[in-house]
Amino acid sequence: MDNPQAGIFALGTSSHAYLEFDAVGGRHGRDVVAAIASLREPRTTMGGVNLVAGFRPELWRSIVHHGMPRGLEGFNAELTGADGFTMPATQHDAVLWLSGSAYDVIFDTARAAIGMLAGLATVTEETSSWSYQHDRDLSGFIDGTENPTLIEAPGFVLVPEGSPGEGGTVLLLQKWEHDVGAWEALPVQEQELAMGRTKLDSVELESKPADSHVAATDQDRFGHIFRRNMAYGTVTNHGTMFVGFASEQKPLADMLTSMVETPDALTRYSHPLTGAYYFVPSTESLLQVSNHGANDGTPA
Protein backbone atom coordinates (compact mmCIF):
# COMPACT_ATOMS: atom_id res chain seq x y z
CA MET A 1 0.00 0.00 0.00
CA ASP A 2 1.37 3.40 -0.96
CA ASN A 3 1.66 5.93 1.85
CA PRO A 4 -0.67 8.94 2.20
CA GLN A 5 0.62 12.44 2.66
CA ALA A 6 1.11 12.63 6.41
CA GLY A 7 -0.49 16.04 6.94
CA ILE A 8 -3.94 14.63 6.20
CA PHE A 9 -3.98 12.95 9.60
CA ALA A 10 -1.80 15.42 11.53
CA LEU A 11 -4.37 16.49 14.12
CA GLY A 12 -3.66 19.12 16.77
CA THR A 13 -2.22 21.81 14.50
CA SER A 14 -3.57 25.26 15.29
CA SER A 15 -2.50 27.35 12.26
CA HIS A 16 -3.39 26.61 8.65
CA ALA A 17 -3.14 28.14 5.19
CA TYR A 18 -4.78 27.06 1.94
CA LEU A 19 -3.15 28.22 -1.29
CA GLU A 20 -4.96 27.45 -4.54
CA PHE A 21 -2.97 27.84 -7.77
CA ASP A 22 -3.59 28.09 -11.49
CA ALA A 23 -0.94 27.41 -14.09
CA VAL A 24 0.59 30.47 -15.73
CA GLY A 25 -0.61 30.85 -19.31
CA GLY A 26 1.55 28.89 -21.71
CA ARG A 27 3.08 26.63 -19.08
CA HIS A 28 2.57 22.91 -19.50
CA GLY A 29 0.58 21.25 -16.77
CA ARG A 30 3.32 18.63 -16.37
CA ASP A 31 5.79 21.32 -15.26
CA VAL A 32 3.33 22.69 -12.70
CA VAL A 33 2.55 19.26 -11.25
CA ALA A 34 6.22 18.31 -11.06
CA ALA A 35 7.16 21.58 -9.37
CA ILE A 36 4.40 21.30 -6.77
CA ALA A 37 5.21 17.63 -6.20
CA SER A 38 8.82 18.59 -5.47
CA LEU A 39 7.68 20.87 -2.64
CA ARG A 40 6.99 17.74 -0.61
CA GLU A 41 10.73 17.26 -0.15
CA PRO A 42 12.12 17.78 3.38
CA ARG A 43 13.75 21.13 2.67
CA THR A 44 10.32 22.79 2.46
CA THR A 45 8.68 21.02 5.38
CA MET A 46 11.02 22.13 8.15
CA GLY A 47 9.90 24.03 11.22
CA GLY A 48 7.07 21.67 12.03
CA VAL A 49 4.96 22.48 8.96
CA ASN A 50 2.85 19.80 7.29
CA LEU A 51 2.48 20.31 3.56
CA VAL A 52 -0.28 18.54 1.63
CA ALA A 53 -0.48 18.89 -2.16
CA GLY A 54 -3.54 18.21 -4.31
CA PHE A 55 -4.37 18.62 -7.98
CA ARG A 56 -7.36 19.26 -10.20
CA PRO A 57 -8.44 15.73 -11.21
CA GLU A 58 -8.28 16.45 -14.93
CA LEU A 59 -4.73 17.81 -14.57
CA TRP A 60 -3.45 14.87 -12.52
CA ARG A 61 -5.08 12.42 -14.95
CA SER A 62 -3.28 14.08 -17.87
CA ILE A 63 0.04 13.37 -16.16
CA VAL A 64 -0.65 10.03 -14.43
CA HIS A 65 -3.22 8.45 -16.71
CA HIS A 66 -4.44 5.71 -14.37
CA GLY A 67 -3.35 7.29 -11.11
CA MET A 68 -6.63 8.11 -9.37
CA PRO A 69 -10.18 6.78 -8.92
CA ARG A 70 -12.20 6.44 -12.10
CA GLY A 71 -14.77 9.13 -12.78
CA LEU A 72 -13.23 11.71 -10.46
CA GLU A 73 -13.89 15.23 -11.78
CA GLY A 74 -13.25 18.77 -10.68
CA PHE A 75 -15.94 21.05 -9.24
CA ASN A 76 -16.75 22.24 -12.75
CA ALA A 77 -20.38 23.38 -12.43
CA GLU A 78 -22.25 25.20 -9.68
CA LEU A 79 -25.02 23.47 -7.75
CA THR A 80 -28.32 25.34 -7.46
CA GLY A 81 -31.38 24.39 -5.45
CA ALA A 82 -35.03 25.12 -6.07
CA ASP A 83 -34.89 27.98 -3.57
CA GLY A 84 -32.05 29.61 -5.49
CA PHE A 85 -29.31 28.63 -3.03
CA THR A 86 -26.09 28.13 -5.00
CA MET A 87 -22.81 26.40 -4.36
CA PRO A 88 -20.26 28.05 -6.65
CA ALA A 89 -17.70 26.13 -8.69
CA THR A 90 -14.27 27.76 -8.33
CA GLN A 91 -12.02 24.92 -9.43
CA HIS A 92 -8.28 25.64 -9.64
CA ASP A 93 -5.33 23.58 -10.85
CA ALA A 94 -3.70 22.77 -7.53
CA VAL A 95 -3.86 23.34 -3.79
CA LEU A 96 -1.25 23.46 -1.05
CA TRP A 97 -2.52 23.01 2.48
CA LEU A 98 -0.03 24.00 5.15
CA SER A 99 -0.58 23.31 8.84
CA GLY A 100 1.54 23.79 11.92
CA SER A 101 1.74 24.96 15.50
CA ALA A 102 2.21 28.68 14.80
CA TYR A 103 1.43 31.05 11.96
CA ASP A 104 4.96 32.44 11.60
CA VAL A 105 6.30 29.13 10.27
CA ILE A 106 3.21 28.74 8.06
CA PHE A 107 3.81 32.23 6.69
CA ASP A 108 7.48 31.61 5.91
CA THR A 109 6.89 28.19 4.35
CA ALA A 110 4.01 29.52 2.23
CA ARG A 111 6.14 32.38 0.92
CA ALA A 112 8.94 29.96 0.07
CA ALA A 113 6.53 27.67 -1.79
CA ILE A 114 5.04 30.54 -3.78
CA GLY A 115 8.54 31.70 -4.67
CA MET A 116 9.55 28.26 -5.91
CA LEU A 117 6.48 28.18 -8.18
CA ALA A 118 7.08 31.65 -9.64
CA GLY A 119 6.68 31.62 -13.41
CA LEU A 120 4.81 28.31 -13.32
CA ALA A 121 1.70 28.91 -11.21
CA THR A 122 0.09 31.86 -9.49
CA VAL A 123 -1.94 31.99 -6.28
CA THR A 124 -5.59 32.58 -7.15
CA GLU A 125 -7.15 31.92 -3.74
CA GLU A 126 -5.51 32.25 -0.31
CA THR A 127 -7.08 31.67 3.10
CA SER A 128 -5.47 31.60 6.53
CA SER A 129 -7.22 29.55 9.21
CA TRP A 130 -6.94 28.72 12.88
CA SER A 131 -8.48 26.44 15.46
CA TYR A 132 -11.30 27.81 17.62
CA GLN A 133 -11.90 26.58 21.15
CA HIS A 134 -10.07 23.35 20.36
CA ASP A 135 -12.72 21.60 18.25
CA ARG A 136 -15.57 24.03 17.61
CA ASP A 137 -16.37 26.06 14.53
CA LEU A 138 -17.53 29.66 14.63
CA SER A 139 -21.16 28.59 14.91
CA GLY A 140 -20.25 27.53 18.44
CA PHE A 141 -20.89 23.83 17.74
CA ILE A 142 -18.32 21.03 17.94
CA ASP A 143 -17.10 20.15 14.45
CA GLY A 144 -16.23 16.68 13.18
CA THR A 145 -18.25 14.76 15.79
CA GLU A 146 -18.80 11.87 13.37
CA ASN A 147 -15.17 11.68 12.26
CA PRO A 148 -13.74 8.18 12.35
CA THR A 149 -10.81 7.67 14.71
CA LEU A 150 -7.28 7.95 13.35
CA ILE A 151 -7.12 4.16 13.37
CA GLU A 152 -10.33 3.87 11.35
CA ALA A 153 -9.92 6.91 9.10
CA PRO A 154 -7.54 5.44 6.50
CA GLY A 155 -10.16 2.83 5.63
CA PHE A 156 -12.65 5.57 4.75
CA VAL A 157 -10.26 8.17 3.36
CA LEU A 158 -7.59 6.38 1.34
CA VAL A 159 -7.95 4.74 -2.05
CA PRO A 160 -7.47 1.03 -1.28
CA GLU A 161 -4.46 -1.01 -2.25
CA GLY A 162 -4.58 -2.31 -5.81
CA SER A 163 -6.97 0.43 -7.00
CA PRO A 164 -5.94 3.32 -9.27
CA GLY A 165 -4.45 6.04 -7.08
CA GLU A 166 -3.89 3.77 -4.07
CA GLY A 167 -2.83 5.66 -0.96
CA GLY A 168 -4.33 8.88 -2.32
CA THR A 169 -7.56 10.61 -1.33
CA VAL A 170 -10.24 12.94 -2.70
CA LEU A 171 -10.42 16.40 -1.12
CA LEU A 172 -13.43 18.71 -1.17
CA LEU A 173 -12.42 22.26 -0.24
CA GLN A 174 -15.05 24.96 0.35
CA LYS A 175 -14.96 28.34 2.06
CA TRP A 176 -18.22 29.05 3.93
CA GLU A 177 -19.04 32.57 5.12
CA HIS A 178 -21.37 32.80 8.13
CA ASP A 179 -24.24 35.25 8.50
CA VAL A 180 -23.22 35.94 12.07
CA GLY A 181 -26.01 38.34 12.92
CA ALA A 182 -28.79 36.03 11.75
CA TRP A 183 -27.26 32.96 13.40
CA GLU A 184 -26.54 34.56 16.75
CA ALA A 185 -30.05 36.07 16.84
CA LEU A 186 -31.46 32.53 17.04
CA PRO A 187 -32.17 31.02 20.47
CA VAL A 188 -29.86 28.08 21.21
CA GLN A 189 -32.75 25.65 20.81
CA GLU A 190 -33.39 26.84 17.25
CA GLN A 191 -29.68 26.64 16.46
CA GLU A 192 -29.74 23.05 17.67
CA LEU A 193 -32.73 22.23 15.45
CA ALA A 194 -30.92 23.69 12.43
CA MET A 195 -27.76 21.74 13.26
CA GLY A 196 -29.42 18.53 14.44
CA ARG A 197 -27.18 18.33 17.52
CA THR A 198 -27.00 19.84 20.99
CA LYS A 199 -24.66 22.80 21.20
CA LEU A 200 -22.92 22.07 24.48
CA ASP A 201 -21.95 18.43 24.04
CA SER A 202 -22.82 17.60 20.40
CA VAL A 203 -25.36 14.86 21.10
CA GLU A 204 -27.44 14.07 18.00
CA LEU A 205 -31.11 14.97 18.47
CA GLU A 206 -33.41 11.96 18.47
CA SER A 207 -36.15 13.97 16.77
CA LYS A 208 -33.96 16.12 14.55
CA PRO A 209 -35.76 17.86 11.65
CA ALA A 210 -35.37 16.36 8.20
CA ASP A 211 -33.79 19.61 7.00
CA SER A 212 -31.25 19.80 9.81
CA HIS A 213 -27.60 19.76 8.79
CA VAL A 214 -26.98 16.38 10.40
CA ALA A 215 -29.95 14.81 8.58
CA ALA A 216 -29.08 16.40 5.24
CA THR A 217 -25.50 15.08 5.41
CA ASP A 218 -26.14 11.78 7.20
CA GLN A 219 -22.96 9.75 6.86
CA ASP A 220 -24.78 6.49 7.55
CA ARG A 221 -26.70 7.25 4.38
CA PHE A 222 -24.05 8.79 2.13
CA GLY A 223 -20.84 7.21 3.42
CA HIS A 224 -18.22 8.27 5.92
CA ILE A 225 -15.76 11.08 5.34
CA PHE A 226 -12.93 12.63 7.37
CA ARG A 227 -13.26 16.35 8.13
CA ARG A 228 -10.41 18.74 8.95
CA ASN A 229 -12.44 21.96 9.09
CA MET A 230 -10.96 25.20 10.42
CA ALA A 231 -12.18 28.70 11.26
CA TYR A 232 -11.08 31.61 9.09
CA GLY A 233 -11.57 35.36 8.89
CA THR A 234 -11.79 38.46 11.03
CA VAL A 235 -13.96 39.45 13.96
CA THR A 236 -16.50 41.06 11.62
CA ASN A 237 -16.31 38.68 8.64
CA HIS A 238 -15.62 35.01 9.24
CA GLY A 239 -16.66 31.45 8.61
CA THR A 240 -15.50 27.88 8.11
CA MET A 241 -13.08 26.24 5.71
CA PHE A 242 -14.66 22.88 4.92
CA VAL A 243 -11.87 20.36 4.38
CA GLY A 244 -13.36 16.92 3.69
CA PHE A 245 -11.60 13.73 2.58
CA ALA A 246 -12.96 10.48 1.17
CA SER A 247 -11.63 7.55 -0.81
CA GLU A 248 -14.02 8.37 -3.65
CA GLN A 249 -15.95 11.42 -4.80
CA LYS A 250 -19.47 10.07 -4.43
CA PRO A 251 -20.02 10.56 -0.66
CA LEU A 252 -18.83 14.16 -0.85
CA ALA A 253 -20.82 14.96 -3.99
CA ASP A 254 -23.98 13.29 -2.69
CA MET A 255 -23.83 15.27 0.55
CA LEU A 256 -23.54 18.55 -1.36
CA THR A 257 -26.48 17.60 -3.58
CA SER A 258 -28.54 16.75 -0.52
CA MET A 259 -27.68 20.06 1.14
CA VAL A 260 -28.87 21.95 -1.94
CA GLU A 261 -31.97 19.89 -2.66
CA THR A 262 -33.29 19.31 0.89
CA PRO A 263 -32.48 22.26 1.46
CA ASP A 264 -30.19 22.11 4.49
CA ALA A 265 -31.41 24.52 7.22
CA LEU A 266 -27.84 25.58 7.89
CA THR A 267 -27.60 27.13 4.43
CA ARG A 268 -29.94 29.90 5.62
CA TYR A 269 -27.12 31.12 7.86
CA SER A 270 -23.99 30.21 5.93
CA HIS A 271 -23.13 30.27 2.25
CA PRO A 272 -20.16 28.94 0.26
CA LEU A 273 -17.81 31.35 -1.50
CA THR A 274 -15.67 28.68 -3.17
CA GLY A 275 -15.83 25.04 -4.21
CA ALA A 276 -13.18 22.70 -5.60
CA TYR A 277 -12.26 19.02 -5.70
CA TYR A 278 -8.63 17.92 -5.65
CA PHE A 279 -6.93 14.56 -5.84
CA VAL A 280 -4.28 14.25 -3.14
CA PRO A 281 -1.82 11.60 -4.37
CA SER A 282 0.27 9.25 -2.28
CA THR A 283 3.81 10.27 -1.36
CA GLU A 284 5.16 7.64 -3.77
CA SER A 285 3.17 9.12 -6.66
CA LEU A 286 4.42 12.61 -5.86
CA LEU A 287 8.01 11.41 -5.68
CA GLN A 288 7.75 9.67 -9.03
CA VAL A 289 6.26 12.75 -10.71
CA SER A 290 8.83 15.00 -9.02
CA ASN A 291 11.68 12.84 -10.32
CA HIS A 292 10.37 12.15 -13.82
CA GLY A 293 7.69 14.75 -14.63
CA ALA A 294 5.20 11.99 -15.44
CA ASN A 295 4.99 8.22 -15.29
CA ASP A 296 4.19 5.65 -17.91
CA GLY A 297 0.48 5.76 -17.19
CA THR A 298 0.42 3.24 -14.35
CA PRO A 299 -0.21 4.05 -10.73
CA ALA A 300 2.90 4.93 -8.79
Side-chain angles (χ1 to χ4, degrees):
M1 177 73 170
D2 284 355
N3 294 295
Q5 297 182 47
I8 296 167
F9 302 111
L11 302 182
T13 49
S14 58
S15 295
H16 297 247
Y18 310 90
L19 306 175
E20 295 180 84
F21 293 86
D22 281 333
V24 171
R27 298 305 306 228
H28 196 286
R30 180 181 296 106
D31 299 329
V32 175
V33 172
I36 291 178
S38 72
L39 296 176
R40 293 285 293 118
E41 296 179 8
R43 68 175 182 271
T44 59
T45 56
M46 295 165 51
V49 175
N50 301 296
L51 184 62
V52 174
F55 303 93
R56 176 169 53 88
E58 294 84 354
L59 177 58
W60 183 256
R61 184 181 292 113
S62 73
I63 308 304
V64 187
H65 303 308
H66 303 288
M68 67 179 184
R70 295 179 180 87
L72 178 56
E73 298 180 348
F75 205 132
N76 299 321
E78 66 181 24
L79 301 176
T80 303
D83 63 349
F85 177 81
T86 299
M87 290 188 181
T90 60
Q91 185 69 52
H92 298 291
D93 287 334
V95 64
L96 288 178
W97 166 33
L98 302 91
S99 63
S101 60
Y103 190 68
D104 56 351
V105 292
I106 299 294
F107 180 85
D108 288 341
T109 305
R111 289 194 66 204
I114 292 170
M116 293 181 67
L117 296 174
L120 292 172
T122 57
V123 177
T124 48
E125 184 75 32
E126 174 187 357
T127 304
S128 299
S129 295
W130 30 272
S131 60
Y132 178 71
Q133 295 186 7
H134 181 60
D135 56 3
R136 295 181 185 269
D137 67 25
L138 294 178
S139 70
F141 283 75
I142 294 174
D143 201 353
T145 301
E146 293 192 15
N147 263 356
T149 67
L150 286 179
I151 295 175
E152 299 168 327
F156 294 110
V157 171
L158 302 181
V159 178
E161 185 174 5
S163 297
E166 70 170 70
T169 184
V170 180
L171 164 64
L172 171 61
L173 185 67
Q174 289 181 302
K175 184 175 183 176
W176 286 78
E177 182 179 53
H178 298 335
D179 185 343
V180 180
W183 178 253
E184 294 184 347
L186 293 177
V188 170
Q189 184 179 14
E190 290 189 30
Q191 291 182 359
E192 292 177 337
L193 291 173
M195 190 67 70
R197 291 186 178 277
T198 59
K199 190 169 187 178
L200 179 63
D201 49 10
S202 200
V203 175
E204 187 171 328
L205 302 179
E206 291 186 7
S207 56
K208 59 184 176 294
D211 68 346
S212 68
H213 181 60
V214 171
T217 60
D218 184 1
Q219 294 192 39
D220 290 332
R221 174 184 172 193
F222 297 112
H224 288 276
I225 66 173
F226 188 65
R227 295 157 60 115
R228 292 293 310 275
N229 294 0
M230 281 287 148
Y232 81 88
T234 65
V235 173
T236 57
N237 186 0
H238 50 253
T240 297
M241 286 298 293
F242 177 87
V243 184
F245 294 96
S247 60
E248 57 181 349
Q249 190 169 29
K250 182 174 172 55
L252 298 163
D254 286 352
M255 287 181 191
L256 293 190
T257 299
S258 175
M259 290 179 70
V260 169
E261 293 181 350
T262 298
D264 187 332
L266 203 57
T267 61
R268 296 197 290 267
Y269 309 101
S270 184
H271 66 277
L273 303 177
T274 68
Y277 286 107
Y278 295 101
F279 183 64
V280 179
S282 68
T283 55
E284 288 83 358
S285 293
L286 286 175
L287 181 61
Q288 188 163 356
V289 171
S290 174
N291 289 338
H292 303 293
N295 67 24
D296 61 2
T298 60

